[in-house]
Amino acid sequence: MKEPAQGSGFWSALRRGGVPSAIASVMGAPTAQQMAFIRSLTREQRRSEVLRTPLDRLETVVFDLETTGFSAQHGDEILSFGAIRVVGDMIMEKEQFYTLVNPRTVIPEYITELTGITREMTDEAPPLMNGLHDFMSFVGGRVLVAHASAHDKAFLNAALWKTSKVQLTHRVLDTMMLAKWLEPQQHQTYSLDELLTHQSIPIEGRHHALEDAKMTAKLWVAYVQEMLKRNVTNLADVYAHLSHA
């Protein structure tokens, strides 16, 4: 998305430091502090030492996004972030994150029917920058996990570029790809519902970002336990197996 022209009153004032951060935040404009934090977090996220972290101690954040559609490249926007922290094969039930964000665009009726999110709900929600900043603060330097992660990565990258002119550098593991390696030819679609059913994980609250993240976390834990049984001991081992799957 093209930035406003340099002479634009508000943005020009913001760049000169003429708009207080609190006011800028309320108005939905990225503050210098928010951009600096996100930019700093994206640096050095692919450091090699995490590859040697034992899988039973690996810190991850399992997350999900709800969006106004399925194409970040064609103007669809994030509606909500949901995430939960996992250490090894232990879900940290009390360490959860959820927020709606205001997409500043129309929410299609079929998306409201799918997610339950209405325009009235998002009108009261914080702007994208605030939600993204809080989400990235929750993630910190941990490895990310998602199901069918290409969708979520595309929207995160679009949001990060729009707000801070950076790309996602965190490692992202995909439970769909793990299922294809660990359970080859056992599923038709490798959809989240199919894999949850196969693992006897109750399906509750589908298409709510936090509930989907919590169910995906249970799936991730099941796969961590299976990988440990196969003597897959660290993240480097996981990547090695996935590259040959």
Side-chain angles (χ1 to χ4, degrees), residues 68 75-77 79 102-108 119 122:
T68 61
D76 289 320
E77 299 286 350
L79 285 172
N102 189 334
R104 300 183 183 276
T105 189
V106 173
I107 302 174
R119 180 62 182 269
T122 59

Side-chain angles (χ1 to χ4, degrees), residues 31-50:
T31 69
Q33 291 91 339
Q34 288 171 319
M35 286 190 288
F37 170 78
I38 289 176
R39 287 172 177 170
S40 68
L41 193 60
T42 59
R43 298 190 191 106
E44 300 181 7
Q45 284 302 315
R46 301 190 72 82
R47 54 192 185 280
S48 60
E49 57 265 28
V50 72

